Amino acid sequence: QVQLVESGGGLVQAGGSLRLSCVASWSISSINAMGWYRQAPGKQRETVSVIVGHSTTNYADSVKGRFTISRDNAKNTVYLQMNRLKPEDTAVYYCNKAPPQRGYWGQGTQVTVSS
């Protein structure tokens, strides 16, 4: 069964940092693009960042310069380093392929940023 497990979320003050991890139950080395997504209460899920291969990255304008996506194929893990967090970053964060595929969504990890 395909599974993605996100972790690393929590409660942090504005300006703080968190590092999210997403571990896949299968080898991600054959997956060209992986992404991080988030859904805030009452809002639609949005794309936060995508990594294509090992070095091509894309970010939503709202997180550009603050977040960094990376991957470690040997560990089947995708990371999201989040710095200078803002209250508007509060959401449940998910990883998935890029573009995302139904059936690959995990439980997500809650990130709450207090002002």
Side-chain angles (χ1 to χ4, degrees):
Q1 181 179 355
V2 172
Q3 190 175 21
L4 289 164
V5 179
E6 301 92 346
S7 64
L11 174 63
V12 64
Q13 288 188 330
S17 298
L18 287 172
R19 187 194 195 203
L20 306 185
S21 299
C22 168
V23 181
S25 61
W26 79 102
S27 172
I28 65 170
S29 59
S30 62
I31 308 300
N32 190 40
M34 293 289 295
W36 280 96
Y37 309 85
R38 69 185 181 186
Q39 186 166 21
K43 295 187 177 181
Q44 288 189 329
R45 188 148 40 195
E46 63 174 345
T47 302
V48 176
S49 180
V50 171
I51 183 166
V52 181
H54 270 278
S55 57
T56 301
T57 57
N58 294 291
Y59 299 92
D61 287 343
S62 59
V63 307
K64 205 169 292 184
R66 300 187 296 120
F67 290 11
T68 303
I69 190 171
S70 61
R71 64 193 290 174
D72 185 338
N73 286 351
K75 296 182 179 180
N76 297 324
T77 302
V78 182
Y79 302 98
L80 186 68
Q81 176 67 43
M82 306 188 297
N83 299 326
R84 303 199 308 277
L85 283 160
K86 303 177 180 180
E88 50 264 42
D89 295 319
T90 295
V92 179
Y93 285 71
Y94 304 87
C95 67
N96 201 320
K97 295 182 176 182
Q101 294 188 15
R102 189 180 301 180
Y104 283 76
W105 294 111
Q107 295 297 311
T109 186
Q110 175 71 49
V111 172
T112 303
V113 184
S114 63
S115 57

